[in-house]
């Protein structure tokens, strides 16, 4: 087995978090996501009605959150689920839509930066 000095670590601060610190960070980010969606996306304001972010205490509380399904994506085509203005997007990806409307995903510069970080960490 390789020692820590032989293992490539891309982001030491994030990759070496203790399990409890990681869970705390995940719950903190989950709460922030729910708040952001409720404040910025009409669909999610309705979809998450009755979900108070301050009631989310552990990752087990994910079970109380509703799923977003394919019909929800199609019904909000093309950009109805954005939490930012369309002007903030730097990339848009879409499926071919062979069984209906395409599914569209929009990405900001910050999204792409985070995506690059996650990819680098997974490859490391």
């Amino acid at each position: 087995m390789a020692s820590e000095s032989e293992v490539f670590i891309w982001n030491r601060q994030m990759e070496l978090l203790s399990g409890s610190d990681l869970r705390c960070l995940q719950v903190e980010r989950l709460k922030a996501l729910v708040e952001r969606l409720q404040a910025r996306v009409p669909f999610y304001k309705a979809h998450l009605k009755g979900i108070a972010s301050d009631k989310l205490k552990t990752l087990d509380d994910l079970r109380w959150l509703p799923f977003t399904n394919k019909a929800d994506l199609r019904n909000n085509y093309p950009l109805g689920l954005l939490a930012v203005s369309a002007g903030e997007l730097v990339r848009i990806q879409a499926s071919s839509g062979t069984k209906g409307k395409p599914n569209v995903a929009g990405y900001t510069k910050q999204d792409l930066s985070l995506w690059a970080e996650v990819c680098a960490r997974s490859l490391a």
Side-chain angles (χ1 to χ4, degrees):
M1 184 168 189
S3 69
E4 184 180 323
S5 63
E6 297 171 319
V7 175
F8 184 75
I9 296 176
W10 178 261
N11 182 330
R12 184 168 297 280
Q13 178 183 358
M14 296 304 292
E15 292 173 53
L16 297 180
L17 280 175
S18 69
S20 63
D21 286 345
L22 177 59
R23 285 186 295 280
C24 285
L25 178 61
Q26 290 170 327
V27 169
E28 178 184 311
R29 288 180 174 177
L30 176 62
K31 288 179 180 185
L33 174 63
V34 167
E35 290 171 7
R36 189 169 52 252
L37 290 173
Q38 288 173 326
R40 297 182 181 179
V41 185
F43 169 80
Y44 285 112
K45 184 174 185 174
H47 206 53
L48 295 168
K49 189 173 181 132
I51 306 284
S53 65
D54 62 338
K55 301 287 188 206
L56 302 172
K57 303 290 184 196
T58 72
L59 294 177
D60 289 334
D61 294 335
L62 279 166
R63 69 178 172 238
W64 305 117
L65 299 178
F67 284 95
T68 300
N69 60 43
K70 201 116 174 165
D72 297 329
L73 299 176
R74 288 187 184 122
N75 291 338
N76 288 281
Y77 175 86
L79 301 175
L81 297 178
L82 288 183
V84 300
S85 70
E88 293 180 59
L89 301 180
V90 296
R91 173 176 282 173
I92 294 178
Q93 292 178 315
S95 70
S96 61
T98 57
K99 293 185 179 183
K101 295 176 186 170
N103 292 319
V104 177
Y107 300 94
T108 64
K109 184 176 180 180
Q110 183 179 351
D111 293 330
L112 295 180
S113 177
L114 178 60
W115 188 9
E117 169 72 14
V118 169
C119 287
R121 286 171 46 196
S122 70
L123 291 170

